[in-house]
Amino acid sequence: MKPLAIARSWLLGLALALVGWELPAWAGCGFPRGAGKTFFSLQPEVYQPRTRFDQGGRLQQALSEYGETRLNLFGETGLSDRLTLNLNTSYVFLENRFASGDELVTQRNQGLRDLELGLRHTWGEGDPFFSAQLTALIPPGYATQNTPLPLGYGVFGYDLSAGLATSGELGSLPAFFDSCLTFRDYLGYPGDRIKANLTFGADLSPEVQAIVALDGDFTLGNGAPLLFGDVAVQDPDYDNLKLSGQLNWRLEGGLTLGLGGFQFLTGRNTNAGGGFTGYVWLSY
């Protein structure tokens, strides 16, 4: 049983302003951060799938008990009204249990996953915003050989992303829409990928915000698996589509707390199921 394919996390922000135009409580892919504005996010996540999608996309019982607990760390700062610098990574605890004959085998690993250092430029005055981002994927030195639960592919790469975002009203509620399309390329192994995100949010009250997102992660079919012996432990030949939702509570001092969950709607050659996520955001 290979571990869950590494997923990108689409991380959030708080209110900001650009040339006097008020933006929603979201930073996303399309919105600018704003000159002198800084944002930090801590996002714990628990995922314990007991089903998986096979090569044909059919839902099946998992062959092992896999678990992943993750603490996602994200920060970004506005270098100018148009230019935003961001850094994203996560510390994960992995565990996989399965029966081998009369024995129960338990595999574990933990550590820091790839660093994602990005620079985003935004155009427009908010109706809508357009953006482009270049992100460097930097492995921090985790092992990829002689381990059944690697933390990643262990190679450098980059993302090229294009975003579109706007805000307005849903009836009488302040609302926003954010979208992103990303091409991911690793320098050598493994294969290239296309990632897509659609996010919609609305303020239910001045203190409470609801967000719903749809994320897709698709192979371009030009990769090969990472092997542990003769067993594939990281296979880039997978696809998935994930639905997630969250409720956020805005507190004083630029602090926001949130709770949410996610569910994989469909996929191929990857884990299924869903999990729970928390959010702690600080903006100033």
Side-chain angles (χ1 to χ4, degrees), residues 129-208:
F129 285 113
F130 299 93
S131 72
Q133 176 162 319
L134 174 63
T135 304
L137 309 177
I138 307 168
Y142 50 75
T144 58
Q145 304 295 326
N146 303 319
T147 175
L149 291 178
L151 300 176
Y153 296 114
V155 296
F156 290 88
Y158 64 89
D159 286 346
L160 294 175
S161 302
L164 182 150
T166 188
S167 64
E169 291 187 348
L170 178 65
S172 60
L173 301 178
F176 75 91
F177 171 76
D178 187 78
S179 62
C180 194
L181 184 64
T182 298
F183 169 74
R184 170 165 290 189
D185 179 39
Y186 289 95
L187 304 182
Y189 167 91
D192 302 330
R193 307 197 63 78
I194 291 291
K195 296 171 176 284
N197 169 267
L198 300 173
T199 300
F200 175 79
D203 289 353
L204 306 182
S205 74
E207 296 81 19
V208 180

Side-chain angles (χ1 to χ4, degrees), residues 96-116:
N96 193 43
R97 296 180 180 180
F98 60 92
S100 177
D102 296 332
E103 296 183 0
L104 179 63
V105 178
T106 300
Q107 303 166 330
R108 293 187 177 94
N109 197 6
Q110 67 180 65
L112 193 68
R113 280 185 166 164
D114 292 351
L115 304 175
E116 302 177 3

Side-chain angles (χ1 to χ4, degrees), residues 6 9 12 25 30 35 45-46 72 89 103 108 112 141 156 179 188 193 236 257 268 278:
I6 300 175
S9 299
L12 313 176
E45 180 179 295
V46 177
N72 201 93
T89 189
E103 296 183 0
R108 293 187 177 94
L112 193 68
F156 290 88
S179 62
R193 307 197 63 78
L257 303 179
R268 183 184 60 83

